[in-house]
Amino acid sequence: MVMKPKDIFITHLKKSISISESDEILVRTYFIERELKKKEILLFAGKESCHMQFIAKGSLRAYYLDEDAKEHIVQFGIEEWWVNDLYSYLTKTPATQYIQALEDSIILQIHRDKLNELYDLVPAIERFFRLKFEKAYVAFQNRTINSMSKTAEERYEEFRTKYRAIEQRVPQYMVASYLGITPEFLSAIRKKTI
């Protein structure tokens, strides 16, 4: 049986917090379902990120363009992950990243103002997002340290171990971009490890 997007979301919430049935009904009304086609842009650089986005189905990527218009992937997201330009969202400044669907996808989103309302109505939701923000900060710090201290081979091996489901769903040139290496160098690494 295929779960509906909001059922997937509620199951995801309940892995971290307890909410009553009445709170669950309220939460369902605050999150809006949105379908994205493959390659559709959810967030454009220069626009403020005003929504939190939960991936119920599909996959997305967050990336930025450097001064030479070269793409650098910052984040991948698959089912039950959150994707955002969190800096833009938290500081209410223009995004530096684009967020794009890599497959036909379904997300659930909530506007910052509605989320703040929901914090007051369902305090457990505030705790949920505090835990998510803490986890995002730890992941960001870990990725930063790894990019400075580990070789490309070590970073690729860690990526393969942690994100096997992503590696099998995205093109290798995107994995290379995420790792900060060229597709050719990734190909050479893969030949050594396979």
Side-chain angles (χ1 to χ4, degrees):
M1 181 173 134
V2 177
M3 288 178 70
K4 293 180 181 176
K6 289 191 180 179
D7 294 335
I8 294 167
F9 177 61
I10 294 298
T11 300
H12 174 75
L13 283 179
K14 289 180 176 180
K15 290 176 185 175
S16 300
I17 60 170
S18 296
I19 57 173
S20 68
E21 196 172 311
S22 60
D23 286 346
E24 180 183 320
I25 292 166
L26 189 60
V27 167
R28 286 174 181 271
T29 65
Y30 270 73
F31 280 82
I32 306 301
E33 188 175 314
R34 182 166 170 197
E35 293 186 19
L36 301 170
K37 293 291 180 196
K38 182 178 181 177
K39 297 188 178 182
E40 186 175 343
I41 302 288
L42 175 63
L43 177 68
F44 286 88
K47 299 289 184 188
E48 183 182 332
S49 176
C50 297
H51 295 85
M52 291 301 296
Q53 280 106 203
F54 172 79
I55 304 168
K57 177 181 178 267
S59 65
L60 290 89
R61 68 176 176 147
Y63 67 95
Y64 72 93
L65 299 174
D66 66 18
E67 57 278 350
D68 297 322
K70 182 179 175 193
E71 290 181 8
H72 299 272
I73 296 177
V74 177
Q75 176 188 5
F76 290 110
I78 58 174
E79 290 85 4
E80 292 196 49
W81 287 30
W82 296 82
V83 63
N84 205 345
D85 182 326
L86 205 49
Y87 185 86
S88 171
Y89 179 86
L90 293 172
T91 62
K92 300 181 182 179
T93 57
T96 57
Q97 300 173 32
Y98 295 84
I99 298 176
Q100 181 184 41
L102 296 174
E103 305 168 349
D104 288 349
S105 301
I106 299 173
I107 62 164
L108 296 176
Q109 64 181 187
I110 186 169
H111 189 277
R112 177 191 301 109
D113 297 340
K114 288 291 189 183
L115 183 56
N116 286 329
E117 278 179 30
L118 196 55
Y119 287 163
D120 292 335
L121 297 169
V122 185
I125 293 297
E126 188 167 21
R127 180 174 190 278
F128 174 83
F129 278 99
R130 179 180 54 80
L131 295 171
K132 287 296 170 193
F133 290 151
E134 288 173 1
K135 188 176 178 182
Y137 178 77
V138 168
F140 172 76
Q141 186 171 356
N142 186 48
R143 180 156 183 232
T144 302
I145 290 169
N146 283 347
S147 71
M148 293 187 283
S149 64
K150 292 188 176 180
T151 66
E153 290 87 352
E154 291 169 329
R155 291 194 314 271
Y156 175 62
E157 192 53 45
E158 186 174 317
F159 179 84
R160 288 184 70 209
T161 302
K162 279 186 172 178
Y163 307 119
R164 178 59 96 190
I166 293 173
E167 184 190 25
Q168 295 172 352
R169 289 171 72 173
V170 302
Q172 288 301 304
Y173 77 89
M174 288 187 185
V175 173
S177 173
Y178 178 83
L179 295 172
I181 59 178
T182 65
E184 296 78 17
F185 190 52
L186 177 59
S187 181
I189 292 170
R190 292 183 77 228
K191 283 179 186 169
K192 284 190 230 173
T193 60
I194 294 176

